[in-house]
Amino acid sequence: MQPAVVLPALPGADQSAQTDSPLVYNQATLQPTADPRQVECMAKVIVHEAGNQPRRGRAAVAQVIRARTRDARFATEPCAVVRQPGQFFNVDAYNPPRDTDQWREAVAIATQVLNGQAEDPVPGALFFHAASSPMKGRTKVGRIEGHVFYR
């Protein structure tokens, strides 16, 4: 495995997020392990949708986004997936505090999921919602705390 090197923050990037959770690049290729913009979009969804869930639940929400990038019905990048009309909230208007353990954990989960290094507690899930309202016409994949996951 090649050693990693931390490069300076990207222009326009949130400096506090970069300081708290630096993006690691592969020294041989100087390619990021995960695109920081995609990590940020996914981390925002993790915090907003599953911030009160256990790590497994937060990872499941992130895996739904990743699974959608591989499904022809959705966009191919996480930011585009979460910005599709009627799917999530307005991630561009949501700015959670970047100096919290919750944010750092969301960034770590997003990075691991995007790098294919995280568990997938709900394989095949493309949708989720609060446990109080069922999704008719979908196959249930699992339930984690307050969310039910479907394909």
Side-chain angles (χ1 to χ4, degrees), residues 10 19-21 47 55 59 61 86 88 90 100 110 114 133 135 151:
L10 297 172
T19 302
D20 290 340
S21 204
V47 169
R55 182 177 174 82
V61 166
F88 292 92
N90 182 353
T100 64
L114 290 172
S133 55
M135 242 182 161
R151 67 177 135 215

Side-chain angles (χ1 to χ4, degrees), residues 116-148:
Q117 300 168 332
E119 70 169 313
D120 189 353
V122 288
L126 293 170
F127 306 93
F128 68 92
H129 65 80
S132 61
S133 55
M135 242 182 161
K136 294 182 183 350
R138 301 268 178 217
T139 302
K140 183 177 174 181
V141 175
R143 178 180 174 156
I144 300 173
E145 296 280 330
H147 288 125
V148 181

Side-chain angles (χ1 to χ4, degrees), residues 2-147:
Q2 293 290 327
V5 61
V6 177
L7 296 181
L10 297 172
D14 181 326
Q15 296 300 314
S16 65
Q18 291 293 328
T19 302
D20 290 340
S21 204
L23 184 65
V24 178
Y25 288 76
N26 179 302
Q27 193 169 10
T29 63
L30 291 183
Q31 294 299 308
T33 59
D35 181 326
R37 294 168 300 236
Q38 304 307 319
V39 169
E40 180 178 22
C41 286
M42 189 179 279
K44 285 181 175 185
V45 174
I46 292 167
V47 169
H48 187 269
E49 299 285 350
N52 65 341
Q53 302 294 308
R55 182 177 174 82
R56 189 167 181 261
R58 295 187 311 265
V61 166
Q63 290 290 7
V64 165
I65 297 167
R66 184 172 189 248
R68 285 184 177 195
T69 66
R70 292 176 161 79
D71 186 293
R73 294 173 286 179
F74 300 96
T76 59
E77 292 186 328
C79 288
V81 165
V82 302
R83 289 180 177 128
Q84 285 182 283
Q87 298 301 306
F88 292 92
F89 57 95
N90 182 353
V91 296
D92 297 318
Y94 180 62
N95 291 302
R98 307 301 171 97
D99 60 349
T100 64
D101 289 341
Q102 185 182 49
W103 177 256
R104 284 185 284 278
E105 181 73 9
V107 167
I109 291 168
T111 301
Q112 291 167 351
V113 166
L114 290 172
N115 288 337
Q117 300 168 332
E119 70 169 313
D120 189 353
V122 288
L126 293 170
F127 306 93
F128 68 92
H129 65 80
S132 61
S133 55
M135 242 182 161
K136 294 182 183 350
R138 301 268 178 217
T139 302
K140 183 177 174 181
V141 175
R143 178 180 174 156
I144 300 173
E145 296 280 330
H147 288 125

